[in-house]
Amino acid sequence: MSVLSNEAKVEIRQGSNQSWELVRNGQPMRILGVGGTTNLALAKQIGANSVRVWDTSQLRQKNPQGKAVLEELEQMDLTFCAGIWVEHERHGFSYLDPEKIKKQRDKVRAAVRQYRNHPQLLLWGLGNEMEIFPGQPEAARVWKELEELAKIVKEEDPRHPVMTVIAGADPRKIREIMEYYPSIDILGINAYSGAGGAGATLKGLGWKKPFVFSEFGTAGHWEVPKTAWGAPQEPTANEKAAQYYATLQAVGENKEGLCLGSYAFLWGSKQETTPTWYGMLLPGGEKLPSVDAVVKAWTGKWPTNRCPKIEALRFAENPAKPQAGKKAKVVAEVSDRDKDSLSLTWTLMEESRDIRHGGDAESVPPSFPEAVESEGASACTITFPPPGAYRLFLVVRDGKGGASTANLPFLVEKK
């Protein structure tokens, strides 16, 4: 069993102004992080100093060039929050089953032993949104077990803080953690629309430790208005960018002195409600306006090349009752601050019927390429598919690594 050197130590301490700070290798550090391992070279380029993974298995994954994530992080001098996945009861785990509990404890111990000596390790992310029944007696069993798991982590590695992540700054959860989980060092909060108020909530509850925005970004699909047929209305990429910036402004102000930094979500792309809702990058690697907003918040300056902007996306003439087989024109208003030549891609997809909870994997809805015909530089004609709920997606690219997205939900009615 190897012994860590002094250079590998990370600690939390209060500064002269009573604000908490993270100290790595003897130097104060504010987390300027991204959540995800796609295109780490771009993350480094925009000024990130840390990457969050949700499970240590992600560290062994390889990029398209065959290089492991862990190797990339070391070469780029990016630290990482090593997530250790803690099982959820909604996935079939039982915190009343001694055999399952022992197996998970052994898994946690093995993960810590495997990565505790890595020079880029910043902190442990012990669990992500595994809480159940907040405010109910059943919740205690999860937090009590997290306390035992944290003790294992600290026993195996006393040189790196332990963070556990919850969904939102829910006072019930925070009170439960204060009562049942005293060994936690940092509270991780995944927060979206309400992110700016998390510090005040913690302070008001008497929370005495630091916290990190372990995920933040645009408004969640559960937080936005819905259409008459129940489809959540996704903000445009530029509207999302404004939300990223506002959160980082609140983080920077850190009025309560509790926040150690943040991890922007999601550094990559994924299907969650839609294929574009949470990703900061397109599948091809192009950055979206949220990346520009993060750069501005971190550095005070906009990047040299800005992403294009979608000003509007709408039907040229609002169809009163869209019906299968009929046609309609959709127009977009797009612009580019750098006067780059723009290309537009239109995709018609069925509204997702596979909405999961807590970021669980979802299937991608079917698309209808034959129903869309591009028309000039900023319009298309769609032939309405069979009755049901749909979205028309627009992706605008500037050819220089920047892009923007928006979508238009609509309902095709039965005759």
Side-chain angles (χ1 to χ4, degrees):
M1 188 181 299
S2 58
V3 178
L4 288 176
S5 64
N6 290 331
E7 287 77 23
K9 187 174 182 180
V10 178
E11 57 185 331
I12 53 174
R13 66 187 183 197
Q14 283 191 301
S16 56
N17 61 355
Q18 297 303 303
S19 292
W20 286 102
E21 62 183 5
L22 196 64
V23 180
R24 177 178 179 249
N25 299 339
Q27 298 297 318
M29 171 185 170
R30 187 157 194 79
I31 297 174
L32 308 178
V34 296
T37 59
T38 302
N39 201 342
L40 292 178
L42 179 59
K44 180 69 175 181
Q45 179 185 323
I46 69 168
N49 60 18
S50 192
V51 170
R52 181 188 174 205
V53 298
W54 286 257
D55 186 71
T56 53
S57 62
Q58 292 174 270
L59 297 169
R60 300 188 294 274
Q61 293 175 351
K62 296 186 178 181
N63 65 15
Q65 291 72 44
K67 185 178 293 185
V69 167
L70 198 61
E71 185 182 355
E72 278 193 283
L73 293 170
E74 188 168 4
Q75 288 179 351
M76 295 180 188
D77 192 25
L78 285 167
T79 66
F80 62 94
C81 169
I84 302 177
W85 189 255
V86 175
E87 295 296 338
H88 297 207
E89 289 204 341
R90 63 187 173 85
H91 294 155
F93 191 88
S94 172
Y95 282 89
L96 300 174
D97 186 329
E99 186 175 339
K100 288 184 176 181
I101 288 173
K102 181 183 183 306
K103 186 176 180 180
Q104 179 164 262
R105 290 180 181 181
D106 291 344
K107 176 188 171 185
V108 168
R109 191 180 299 276
V112 176
R113 288 181 176 179
Q114 185 171 4
Y115 295 103
R116 62 189 175 186
N117 292 331
H118 198 282
Q120 301 308 115
L121 174 62
L122 184 66
L123 54 99
W124 297 104
L126 183 64
N128 182 77
E129 298 187 7
M130 80 306 298
E131 60 265 24
I132 60 169
F133 310 121
Q136 301 300 315
E138 296 91 335
R141 64 175 178 256
V142 177
W143 301 123
K144 288 179 178 178
E145 181 56 24
L146 261 295
E147 170 68 10
E148 297 306 313
L149 294 176
K151 288 178 180 177
I152 291 172
V153 176
K154 290 170 177 286
E155 176 187 334
E156 295 293 337
D157 177 15
R159 293 183 177 271
H160 296 92
V162 176
M163 175 176 77
T164 289
V165 174
I166 61 174
D170 186 326
R172 298 169 300 175
K173 301 175 188 177
I174 295 163
R175 292 190 186 100
E176 290 163 358
I177 292 171
M178 291 169 67
E179 181 174 359
Y180 299 114
Y181 187 6
S183 291
I184 190 174
D185 297 312
I186 302 168
L187 181 64
I189 299 177
N190 293 346
Y192 294 87
S193 286
T201 298
L202 288 168
K203 200 81 169 182
L205 292 169
W207 181 260
K208 304 294 185 184
K209 298 178 180 181
F211 81 98
V212 166
F213 281 117
S214 38
E215 290 178 18
F216 78 94
T218 187
H221 58 271
W222 63 92
E223 298 175 309
V224 299
K226 294 185 177 182
T227 64
W229 56 94
Q233 297 179 16
E234 181 175 349
T236 67
N238 290 94
E239 290 169 340
K240 295 173 186 178
Q243 294 174 315
Y244 278 83
Y245 186 78
T247 298
L248 284 176
Q249 287 293 96
V251 171
E253 291 175 3
N254 192 21
K255 295 177 182 178
E256 296 80 16
L258 301 177
C259 188
L260 301 176
S262 60
Y263 290 93
F265 183 85
L266 168 72
W267 192 252
S269 61
K270 67 177 296 194
Q271 166 67 39
E272 187 170 351
T273 305
T274 76
T276 57
W277 202 297
Y278 295 100
M280 300 173 71
L281 307 173
L282 291 179
E286 299 97 330
K287 66 171 184 170
L288 293 167
S290 53
V291 177
D292 291 353
V294 167
V295 172
K296 172 67 171 173
W298 284 352
T299 68
K301 298 179 180 180
W302 291 107
T304 303
N305 181 66
R306 299 280 297 278
C307 291
K309 187 175 184 180
I310 300 175
E311 309 276 359
L313 179 64
R314 56 182 173 78
F315 285 107
E317 294 182 6
N318 238 4
K321 289 187 177 182
Q323 293 183 349
K326 291 189 175 182
K327 295 181 181 292
K329 183 177 180 179
V330 177
V331 295
E333 297 175 20
V334 300
S335 62
D336 189 87
R337 296 172 182 82
D338 309 309
K339 309 301 181 185
D340 294 327
S341 178
L342 302 177
S343 64
L344 280 64
T345 303
W346 306 88
T347 306
L348 180 59
M349 301 183 77
E350 192 176 281
E351 186 72 31
S352 177
R353 301 178 183 178
D354 186 28
I355 306 297
R356 303 296 180 96
H357 180 73
D360 290 353
E362 299 177 2
S363 59
V364 178
S367 58
F368 302 83
E370 71 285 350
V372 184
E373 183 179 351
S374 183
E375 187 178 310
S378 57
C380 76
T381 296
I382 60 174
T383 302
F384 291 120
Y390 299 88
R391 286 182 194 252
L392 179 67
F393 291 85
L394 172 62
V395 177
V396 180
R397 295 177 172 87
D398 66 4
K400 296 182 179 178
S404 194
T405 64
N407 64 68
L408 180 64
F410 62 90
L411 182 69
V412 179
E413 300 185 6
K414 296 179 181 179
K415 292 183 179 180

